[in-house]
Amino acid sequence: MVVAVWVALGIGVVAATGGAVLAVVHGLSGWRRFRRASSSLTRALGDLAANAATTGEHAATTVDGAAALADANARLERSLAELRVLRRAAGRGRAGVGRIRGAVPRK
């Protein structure tokens, strides 16, 4: 009977020790996974911040480009208005030349 008690006590000690070792192994594995995830998250947030800064710079460039485009569009409209005036004037000049050429006899 004493042997059965000692065997049961030995099995209990082995089970408790095995459980403790298993808990430590899983705890260390979980800690490593947490650290790996934490470093990945830190890198991802750094990349996100860099992309946000780049996006901000692109947005500023786009706003500047839009202002330049608006100025260019205004200059184009003025140039087109001048072109219309010049074409009307040239048309009147051609009409006068056409009347004169019509009055001159041809060979």
Side-chain angles (χ1 to χ4, degrees), residues 44-102:
L45 288 175
D47 292 344
L48 180 64
N51 288 342
T54 303
T55 302
E57 292 170 3
H58 288 186
T61 303
T62 302
V63 168
D64 293 342
L69 184 60
D71 292 342
N73 194 22
R75 285 193 309 272
L76 177 63
E77 290 296 329
R78 283 193 303 270
S79 296
L80 288 174
E82 289 177 17
L83 178 62
R84 284 190 293 271
V85 168
L86 291 173
R87 279 187 171 174
R88 270 187 258 137
R92 289 179 191 146
R94 281 191 203 129
V97 169
R99 284 192 298 269
I100 293 172
R101 286 185 71 188

